[in-house]
Amino acid sequence: MILDELTNIFRDVFEDDDIHIENTSTSDDFDEWDSLNHIYLVVEIEKYFKIKFSSREILQWNNVGDMVKSIENLIVK
Amino acid sequence: MLFTSFTFVVFLVAFFCVYWLVSSPLKLQNLIVFAASYLFYGWWDWRFLSLIFASTLVDYFVGIMIYRTPNVGRKRRYLWISVIFNLCLLGFFKYFNFFIDSSIHVLSTLGFHPNIHTLNIILPVGISFYTFQTISYSLDIYKNKFKPTTDFIAFGAFVSFFPQLVAGPIERASNLLPQFLNKRKFDFDKATDGCRQILWGFVKKMLIADSIAPYVNDIFTNYQSYSSGTLLIGVFLFSFQIYGDFSGYSDIAIGVAKLFGFELKMNFNYPYFSKNIGDFWKRWHISLSSWLNDYVFTPLAVEFRHFGKNGLYGALLLTFLLSGLWHGAGWNFIFWGGLHGLFYIPLIYGKKRFKSIASNKKLQSKKYVSWRDLPSILITFILVNFTYIFFRSKDLTTAFDFIRNMIFNISNSTKNAEIYNHKIVFIFIGIFILLEWIGRDEPFALQYVKRISNHYLRWTIYCFLIFILGVFITTTETPFIYFQF
């Protein structure tokens, strides 16, 4: 399940094993999720799933659910 | 119309009465805000109303068109209309002469002597603020983060809302526009809180910034006649002048908005208690730094993400250079921005993970800074003060000359600076720092007084501040520094 794999990436990036994410989670829910960590997160996700997002879709994400959708679309392709 | 003028007091009282008398229908109340804001702005120069109206008109239609078209390419073209239009307004009125002067300088260095003339252009007040506000509206719709409104009156009132029109906070449509689309109710507690914030804004502006201003002007104008110590004092004083001036304006703006039932975003969060440069930019002019973070730094960092930390350095430096240019059409401002970018880089370099140093989120933790942080607070304050030399000097050459004098002119003062005859200013600053420290967990320091349960003591403090303002008020109106930006 993509959300579980994404949770592991979040835990790795934010160095916090207690992090729990849902589709509705946003950057407001985590103190550490700022613009710099966001870039780091994107790079780690791309590496892990061996995909490449377009800049536009990254900038359109509003929550974790949007990230999951983008990953699903690219994996299917 | 300056906040510190008698005209504004009359305007505010009249507007307050009309606004709450006509609380419905909502459209009529918004129309009154729209008209009053145009009156407020037109008081400076009515000709520039056409610019703000044009910007409103363009972004109103562009927003709707971006939203309605399903075609991504067309969405992008509509967005470009908004971005190019607003940047052209800004570019012509604010930067035209700067670019012409810089081009002539480069060409003459290369041996060419072109016969190009600069134009006598008056900078429309607040143009940097409202153009950024309208651009962000179209960008948010393009990024599917916001739906456009079809209510032109509400949109016009949002763009021209007088408390924050000329010097911010730069509001996002997602925060302010819905407040125009919903009915406001008079809230007594909110209004008194607004009055308290207005009072604190006046204290910052009139008691701190305006009382310091003549001495800063003296030291920066005659810097060649003063010793290192006096020049250091000049820079220190300027740091409080600009903070008092700009954050004072923001406090008055936020306070005035509260009188009409609106909540504007916090713009300053005790920036001189910052523990590093990243922290400083979370606390200083928050509405601009978060704007640059969302619309410049993040898109650049996303684009450069495959270059690792070097990509982040590049995005960071470009963002800060642009921030410098936004502040003023001069190389000294660009240099000032670049220095902040350089001071920021070690924070990224030293971290395995890039822990929250660029967050624009509100700092929520109680006692976020304590006495233990004093060394890092002092280092950050010194770094910020150093950059102010470039911000305050009239050009880059003068700034470097100022620094040269500061280093080498240790004891050769040829005249006595005015400030030494008015040492009471230092007492004001000392008390001000103490009050800000005590109230640092509040949205503004004077709100701490709310915690005092004794009604009489609270009112004694308010009356004392009003009395002091009356005693030390200068008879001449001093414009706010950030109006020029």
Side-chain angles (χ1 to χ4, degrees), chain B residues 143-216:
Chain B
K143 291 196 286 181
N144 290 337
K145 292 191 185 284
F146 193 75
K147 286 182 185 168
T149 177
T150 49
D151 184 339
F152 182 74
I153 301 295
F155 183 70
F158 153 71
V159 175
S160 63
F161 190 43
F162 75 88
Q164 46 86 235
L165 172 60
V166 291
I170 302 166
E171 280 294 328
R172 302 294 178 81
S174 56
N175 176 52
L176 187 54
L177 192 51
Q179 297 185 53
F180 279 102
L181 300 171
N182 293 302
K183 192 166 168 57
R184 277 91 53 183
K185 281 188 189 143
F186 184 76
D187 180 339
F188 184 76
D189 286 342
K190 196 175 192 175
T192 48
D193 201 40
C195 289
R196 205 178 289 121
Q197 193 156 4
I198 293 169
L199 176 61
W200 189 237
F202 277 120
V203 168
K204 281 176 170 176
K205 165 67 178 160
M206 296 166 105
L207 221 55
I208 301 297
D210 289 356
S211 63
I212 294 172
Y215 313 115
V216 172

Side-chain angles (χ1 to χ4, degrees), chain A residues 12-15 27-40 42-44 46 52-56 58-62, chain B residues 72 75-76 142-145 293-294 297-299 301-303 305-306 312 316 344 348 352-361 364:
Chain A
D12 185 37
V13 169
F14 297 122
E15 294 176 332
S27 59
D28 289 337
D29 300 327
F30 305 99
D31 283 345
E32 297 293 312
W33 192 352
D34 58 28
S35 49
L36 283 171
N37 270 330
H38 185 66
I39 304 300
Y40 196 83
V42 171
V43 172
E44 289 298 314
E46 286 182 325
K52 193 170 183 302
F53 302 115
S54 74
S55 300
R56 187 167 189 270
I58 296 170
L59 297 172
Q60 283 186 333
W61 292 338
N62 286 318
Chain B
V72 176
K75 276 181 192 285
R76 193 177 296 131
Y142 174 76
K143 291 196 286 181
N144 290 337
K145 292 191 185 284
N293 181 58
D294 290 353
F297 174 75
T298 303
V302 164
E303 211 59 58
R305 67 188 182 278
H306 300 297
L312 289 178
L316 198 68
Y344 207 127
I348 302 177
K352 182 181 167 230
R353 304 287 190 218
F354 317 123
K355 286 205 172 174
S356 56
I357 51 177
S359 169
N360 53 29
K361 287 177 210 156
Q364 289 166 344

Side-chain angles (χ1 to χ4, degrees), chain A residues 59-77:
Chain A
L59 297 172
Q60 283 186 333
W61 292 338
N62 286 318
N63 54 30
V64 169
D66 291 341
M67 295 170 114
V68 172
K69 268 185 225 157
S70 289
I71 296 166
E72 280 170 349
N73 287 341
L74 287 167
I75 289 175
V76 168
K77 282 176 191 172

Side-chain angles (χ1 to χ4, degrees), chain B residues 60-117:
Chain B
Y60 173 76
F61 286 111
V62 161
I64 292 171
M65 288 191 293
I66 292 174
Y67 184 70
R68 285 189 182 163
T69 179
N71 183 304
V72 176
R74 206 170 289 162
K75 276 181 192 285
R76 193 177 296 131
R77 280 197 289 279
Y78 289 139
L79 175 69
W80 277 114
I81 294 174
S82 161
V83 174
I84 291 172
F85 177 80
N86 284 297
L87 290 185
C88 280
L89 275 189
L90 199 56
F92 179 74
F93 285 96
K94 187 166 175 179
Y95 300 107
F96 184 81
N97 283 345
F98 169 67
F99 288 130
I100 293 290
D101 281 337
S102 298
S103 307
I104 292 172
H105 185 73
V106 170
L107 288 170
S108 57
T109 313
L110 296 172
F112 300 101
H113 297 284
N115 189 21
I116 310 172
H117 297 285

